[in-house]
Amino acid sequence: RRPVLRALAAAAMPPLARLAAGAASGAAAAIAVDDCIVASSCPEAGSDGGALGLLQTSRARHGQAAPGRGPLRGALDALSCATHPTMCGPPFNCWDPPVSPEETDRMRDVRVATEDGHPNYRSWCTDPSWENAAAKYCIAQPDLVKNAHAIYQRMAERNYLDNEASYCFLEGHCARTDVTPSTTVQEMEGLCDKVYGRERWANVKFADDPTPGLATGFTNRTSTSYWGLLACAMGNWHCDVVYCQETYCKMPEFVAKFGHFLQDAGQS
């Protein structure tokens, strides 16, 4: 689907070790599998990707010892932090410590949100390429309008616009008046509680994805509500609303194609 989330779930993403491409290639290759987070990017994985493929290889390695933090491991972490400073620091802390197979298994099979029912920012560590879009401008240094246009450009380049637009209209984001560019993550949690209920969004997991693979546009909320729940669990639901309202909700071609979803829900 979706701004961040469909790309996180379906696009092939580089293992963290490969961010250290300048390191000694043989040694880097030796730890590439242990650093791999998304199945579609792992050496032993297929190429189909998808949310149900997320973290698959960590499942295969479950029970193995985590990679050691020797000199090379530390150098790779430092290079990753130098390359992705936003993802290195709070609230993500992607390399302190590195995301473990146990963490990624939990996000797939148990819940994405934290154990105490709040957004889990380490879920963004599965794809540091979002650093200069949603990770930075939605969460770390909020500028929700800038974020909206950065995400739109990225989705246009990937030909995901129908997915995005249909999500916006089906989830009612185009009719919302309780989210503004100054809405905070804390306020978002209350809105997610109101729209979905804390029990639902705090327990959604990647394996719940009802639509593996990309579509040309959603037709019902069976699919889109999952992405709304996941946005709450990852801490970017309020940014989704602003993203929708800054783009698709006021673009005639998407209003003509998907605006009827608002009417069908009595929200127009």
Side-chain angles (χ1 to χ4, degrees):
R1 108 97 237 160
R2 297 249 24 249
V4 174
L5 308 177
R6 170 55 72 181
L8 281 175
M13 293 177 274
L16 299 184
R18 291 180 188 169
L19 297 175
S25 59
I31 65 169
V33 174
D34 283 326
D35 278 354
C36 186
I37 290 179
V38 179
S40 59
S41 65
C42 296
E44 70 270 38
S47 59
D48 55 341
L52 296 179
L54 185 66
L55 328 168
Q56 188 169 313
T57 53
S58 69
R59 169 68 67 190
R61 300 193 310 276
H62 199 70
Q64 295 184 12
R69 296 188 61 82
L72 177 60
R73 173 72 256 182
L76 290 170
D77 289 349
L79 182 56
S80 295
C81 283
T83 308
H84 297 281
T86 298
M87 304 298 289
C88 189
F92 309 104
N93 299 314
C94 290
W95 291 279
D96 186 24
V99 177
S100 69
E102 290 74 20
E103 270 188 276
T104 55
D105 281 352
R106 187 187 69 83
M107 285 188 273
R108 185 188 68 178
D109 297 328
V110 181
R111 67 179 61 84
V112 174
T114 62
E115 292 292 342
D116 58 351
H118 296 287
N120 181 6
Y121 300 114
R122 279 174 66 84
S123 61
W124 292 92
C125 301
T126 58
D127 186 2
S129 73
W130 284 98
E131 176 176 50
N132 290 318
K136 185 172 186 177
Y137 295 116
C138 173
I139 297 168
Q141 301 172 30
D143 184 336
L144 275 57
V145 173
K146 186 171 185 177
N147 174 72
H149 293 284
I151 297 294
Y152 180 84
Q153 181 62 36
R154 183 162 181 164
M155 294 300 101
E157 292 169 356
R158 297 183 178 199
N159 197 31
Y160 292 171
L161 297 185
D162 279 357
N163 266 339
E164 304 296 282
S166 58
Y167 163 81
C168 291
F169 286 97
L170 278 162
E171 285 302 291
H173 290 347
C174 294
R176 300 204 72 86
T177 59
D178 50 4
V179 175
T180 73
S182 61
T183 297
T184 67
V185 172
Q186 291 73 28
E187 292 169 332
M188 180 213 76
E189 290 194 43
L191 291 167
C192 285
D193 291 348
K194 180 179 177 181
V195 174
Y196 301 109
R198 179 72 60 127
E199 182 67 21
R200 291 185 67 202
W201 73 259
N203 287 286
V204 68
K205 54 188 181 292
F206 284 124
D208 291 333
D209 181 7
T211 55
L214 294 176
T216 56
F218 296 113
T219 59
N220 60 71
R221 292 197 66 214
T222 300
S223 298
T224 60
S225 63
Y226 165 77
W227 296 108
L229 291 163
L230 197 55
C232 293
M234 295 179 72
N236 68 293
W237 181 85
H238 58 312
C239 298
D240 276 6
V241 176
V242 174
Y243 162 63
C244 290
Q245 294 186 355
E246 283 287 317
T247 55
Y248 312 99
C249 300
K250 57 186 180 184
M251 298 174 73
E253 62 268 40
F254 295 115
V255 173
K257 187 178 289 188
F258 301 114
H260 66 92
F261 289 132
L262 290 179
Q263 299 171 5
D264 295 345
Q267 296 176 315
S268 58

